[in-house]
Each structure stands twice: as structure tokens, then as C-alpha cells.
């Protein structure tokens, strides 16, 4: 997975893993491959449990009450994930930056990708560009990738349901 200057792809993967956690190591590897992660690292049985803890830690960043708290939590994740940036052209691809050592397991690769991608996303788009759906009863995480930065719902479906609920509340009971 190449980290673009906005960090969108790793953040999308984090959102997906948080909202629908993988149930097995092969499923985790398949979903990472589908998201564009170059699978040139060892995949171990423990990667699933370590990745699930990573996603819980990342969800705390989503739920942070302020930009300062979000930055503090993300800085902690970055410190535990990253080594010095290095150039690489693995898998015959173009030269690009890696924020991790070579030969680390999948869970460590995900920690580096997700933490750096989230930092790029938040600093490039705005510190409030992660959240949970505003519809009552929905706790789905979203990454606001919109141009306006005004996303409040995880999907158009939840936005529409909430609009209908608000409309019905204003209109009173139907007779």
C-alpha cells in the first residue's frame, strides 16, 4: 500500500477493520491484500489478536474528545509503530517511503500504515475528520474524505433515516 499525502487508503482500511473486525488470520490477510497492502511480510497466528488490539487503540483516537487528545493518542501510536522513514522499491514497484523495518509481521506493518496514514489524514484534511455516525443507535466509524469536511453520518442511508426521524418529530403524529 502506498501512502498518498492524504493517508486515505490506510484510514479506509482502519475504518473497515474497526467496523467489521476480521475473524481469522487468512481473512485479515485477504482483506489487507484487497486494500492494497503488499504482503511481503510474515503473517503469524498472533497477528489477528494484535491487529484487533490495534484497531481498539485506533478507535480511541476516533472517539477522542478534542484535537489535543486525538494528537496525544496518535503520537503514542506513532511512537510505538514507526522507525525512521526509508526508501524502498520492494516487489518491483516504484521507489517509495516505508515507515517500518523490513521483515516485521503483518500486525506491525498495519500499525505503521494506520498510524502514519491517520496522521497524514488528520493533518492534511483536519483533526476532526474521523468520527462515529450521528444517527442514534449507530456507532459505525467513518473517515471524512469529503471536500467540505462536514460528514456526520457513516452512509447516506443513515443520513436519510435521521432526516426522516427529524422530519417526523417536527410534523407530529400521523393521523
Amino acid at each position: 500500500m502506498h501512502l498518498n499525502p492524504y493517508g486515505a487508503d490506510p484510514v479506509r482500511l482502519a475504518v473497515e477493520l474497526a467496523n467489521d473486525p476480521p475473524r481469522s488470520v487468512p481473512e485479515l490477510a485477504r482483506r489487507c491484500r484487497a486494500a492494497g497492502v503488499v504482503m511481503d511480510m510474515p503473517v503469524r497466528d498472533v497477528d489477528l489478536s494484535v491487529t484487533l488490539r490495534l484497531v481498539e487503540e485506533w478507535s480511541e483516537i476516533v472517539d477522542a474528545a478534542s484535537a489535543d487528545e486525538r494528537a496525544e493518542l496518535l503520537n503514542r501510536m506513532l511512537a510505538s509503530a514507526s522507525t525512521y522513514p526509508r526508501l524502498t522499491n520492494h516487489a518491483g514497484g516504484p521507489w517509495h517511503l516505508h515507515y517500518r523495518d523490513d521483515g516485521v509481521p503483518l500486525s506491525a506493518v498495519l500499525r505503521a500504515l494506520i498510524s502514519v496514514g491517520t496522521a497524514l489524514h488528520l493533518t492534511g484534511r483536519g483533526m476532526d475528520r474521523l468520527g462515529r455516525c450521528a444517527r442514534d443507535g449507530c456507532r459505525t466509524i467513518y473517515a471524512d474524505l469529503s471536500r467540505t469536511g462536514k460528514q456526520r453520518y457513516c452512509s447516506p442511508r443513515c443520513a436519510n433515516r435521521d432526516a426522516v426521524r427529524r422530519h417526523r418529530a417536527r410534523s407530529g403524529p400521523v393521523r
Side-chain angles (χ1 to χ4, degrees), residues 7 34 41 54-55 61-62 64 69 80 88 103 109 111-112 114 123 137 158:
M41 74 290 294
L54 163 66
V55 169
I61 295 167
V62 172
E69 180 185 357
S80 69
T88 183
V109 170
R111 178 171 285 280
I114 290 171
T123 59
C158 273

Side-chain angles (χ1 to χ4, degrees), residues 136-155:
D136 285 343
C138 184
R139 300 276 302 144
T140 302
I141 293 173
Y142 65 85
D144 185 350
L145 300 169
S146 70
R147 269 192 267 154
T148 62
K150 304 286 186 209
Q151 184 172 343
R152 293 181 47 234
Y153 298 95
C154 66
S155 66

Side-chain angles (χ1 to χ4, degrees), residues 21 52 99 109 117 122 137 168:
L52 293 175
Y99 297 90
V109 170
L122 294 176
R168 288 180 179 159

Side-chain angles (χ1 to χ4, degrees), residues 3 75-88 97-104 108-109 111-113 115-116:
L3 281 172
N75 280 335
R76 202 173 309 148
M77 183 181 275
L78 284 163
S80 69
S82 304
T83 62
Y84 62 90
R86 68 191 78 223
L87 288 173
T88 183
L97 281 174
H98 266 200
Y99 297 90
R100 59 171 170 88
D101 290 324
D102 292 331
V104 297
V109 170
R111 178 171 285 280
L113 282 172
S115 62
V116 172

Side-chain angles (χ1 to χ4, degrees), residues 6-16 58 114 117-118 121 130 143 145:
Y6 305 108
D9 293 338
V11 171
R12 281 189 187 107
L13 177 58
V15 167
E16 179 192 326
W58 183 81
I114 290 171
T118 301
H121 174 76
L130 293 172
L145 300 169

